[in-house]
Amino acid sequence: MIALKRKFLDGLNRRYIYGRVPLLHTIIFLIEMAVAARIAAKFNSYYAERPILTTMVTNAVLGGVADTVAQLITAFQSRSQQRAESDDNLVSIEIQNLNKQQSQALVELDSSKKSPSPFDFERVTRFMAYGFFMAPVQFQWYGFLSRAFPLTKMNPTGPAVKRVVFDQLIFAPFGLVCFFTYMTIAEGGGKRALTQKFRDVYLPTLKANFVLWPAVQIINFRVIPIQFQIPFVSCIGIAWTAYLSLTNSSEES
């Protein structure tokens, strides 16, 4: 049964839409988006009954979407590179006029290069688990900010700016520490791998965070109701988490 399932997934993994977009990645992305749409349609009722659990599930699904997007981008880039290399190999064969045996060897080598980037289910699970378990921390943090800096009709912008300053100077660095620590340990890395990751990617990622998130959080704290603030951040964060996924995976490679 397991072998049959693996063969089925491998068959899907080797198929592409228009020769470039990986089919399996696309199917998983569409399934995740369908689940996200279902949650969005019932979000208010779910949140009214179980706010923290609803936030956790929403974060997990959107984290899965983000990593799937990152894997899809990587697979698309890999496929494009493989096609370019394949074209170069064909030109090389014609120019050099190799004999039949040499040509067959090159064809076999080229076929091995064309093996697609498989969808990493363990990786997407790690991202979903991170979003799931990080949601309660975010929930408490946003609750603290709303209580510490309440918005008023007379001056709604001032407290929103204070929330952003606290969020970016305290929670953003802490969140990235949690992210890279969790991912490194979940991937089987030890203290040395963790130290290297922080040395190589933490500060560049934190700088990128300061470019994107202050503007997003101003809108979030100024306009979005508190029950939608974490889902709003998670939706905007699909691109951000995809960036984190690509950064983390490139460092792992």
Side-chain angles (χ1 to χ4, degrees), residues 47-106:
Y47 189 90
E49 295 179 3
R50 297 182 177 180
I52 296 180
L53 180 60
T54 300
T55 305
M56 294 170 74
V57 173
T58 303
N59 246 24
V61 172
L62 293 178
V65 171
D67 183 64
T68 300
V69 170
Q71 292 199 47
L72 201 155
I73 292 171
T74 301
F76 178 83
Q77 292 174 338
S78 177
R79 178 65 170 177
S80 298
Q81 182 179 0
Q82 289 166 358
R83 288 169 67 93
E85 290 176 354
S86 177
D87 293 340
D88 291 342
N89 284 340
L90 289 175
V91 172
S92 176
I93 290 173
E94 291 179 359
I95 293 176
Q96 297 179 24
N97 194 22
L98 298 175
N99 60 45
K100 185 176 180 180
Q101 184 176 359
Q102 291 173 320
S103 298
Q104 182 63 29
L106 281 176

Side-chain angles (χ1 to χ4, degrees), residues 191-211:
K191 183 178 179 180
R192 182 175 181 181
L194 185 61
T195 301
Q196 182 176 355
K197 184 162 291 187
F198 274 100
R199 184 181 66 243
D200 294 342
V201 301
Y202 179 78
L203 285 180
T205 306
L206 186 60
K207 291 177 182 178
N209 171 89
F210 291 148
V211 172

Side-chain angles (χ1 to χ4, degrees), residues 7-250:
K7 184 177 181 181
F8 174 74
L9 290 175
D10 186 62
L12 284 178
N13 196 62
R14 294 180 179 275
R15 296 182 180 275
Y16 290 83
I17 303 172
Y18 300 116
R20 291 183 182 273
V21 182
L23 178 61
L24 181 57
H25 295 60
T26 304
I27 292 174
I28 294 172
F29 172 75
L30 293 176
I31 292 173
E32 291 170 340
M33 290 302 297
V35 174
R38 175 65 178 175
I39 294 175
K42 298 287 186 178
F43 184 83
N44 282 333
S45 60
Y46 292 155
Y47 189 90
E49 295 179 3
R50 297 182 177 180
I52 296 180
L53 180 60
T54 300
T55 305
M56 294 170 74
V57 173
T58 303
N59 246 24
V61 172
L62 293 178
V65 171
D67 183 64
T68 300
V69 170
Q71 292 199 47
L72 201 155
I73 292 171
T74 301
F76 178 83
Q77 292 174 338
S78 177
R79 178 65 170 177
S80 298
Q81 182 179 0
Q82 289 166 358
R83 288 169 67 93
E85 290 176 354
S86 177
D87 293 340
D88 291 342
N89 284 340
L90 289 175
V91 172
S92 176
I93 290 173
E94 291 179 359
I95 293 176
Q96 297 179 24
N97 194 22
L98 298 175
N99 60 45
K100 185 176 180 180
Q101 184 176 359
Q102 291 173 320
S103 298
Q104 182 63 29
L106 281 176
V107 169
E108 291 176 358
L109 176 62
D110 183 60
S111 297
S112 66
K113 286 182 179 179
K114 286 185 178 181
S115 58
S117 301
F119 187 83
D120 192 338
F121 287 95
E122 292 184 4
R123 175 174 144 181
V124 77
T125 302
R126 287 194 295 267
F127 270 83
M128 294 182 73
Y130 176 79
F132 185 83
F133 290 112
M134 195 66 181
V137 180
Q138 293 176 294
F139 185 89
Q140 296 298 330
W141 173 250
Y142 284 175
F144 162 76
L145 290 179
S146 66
R147 294 189 300 271
F149 308 106
L151 302 183
T152 63
K153 293 183 179 179
M154 297 296 294
N155 183 26
T157 303
V161 171
K162 292 178 182 178
R163 291 186 190 185
V164 172
V165 171
F166 267 72
D167 182 71
Q168 291 301 297
L169 294 183
I170 297 176
F171 193 80
F174 167 75
L176 288 178
V177 168
C178 292
F179 173 80
F180 286 120
T181 301
Y182 167 81
M183 288 298 168
T184 302
I185 295 175
E187 291 163 357
K191 183 178 179 180
R192 182 175 181 181
L194 185 61
T195 301
Q196 182 176 355
K197 184 162 291 187
F198 274 100
R199 184 181 66 243
D200 294 342
V201 301
Y202 179 78
L203 285 180
T205 306
L206 186 60
K207 291 177 182 178
N209 171 89
F210 291 148
V211 172
L212 171 66
W213 284 106
V216 172
Q217 292 291 46
I218 278 287
I219 298 173
N220 191 30
F221 294 134
R222 177 66 177 81
V223 179
I224 307 300
I226 187 170
Q227 69 268 28
F228 297 117
Q229 286 180 358
I230 295 179
F232 174 77
V233 166
S234 297
C235 288
I236 301 298
I238 288 177
W240 172 250
T241 308
Y243 165 76
L244 289 179
S245 178
L246 291 170
T247 301
N248 185 70
S249 61
S250 65

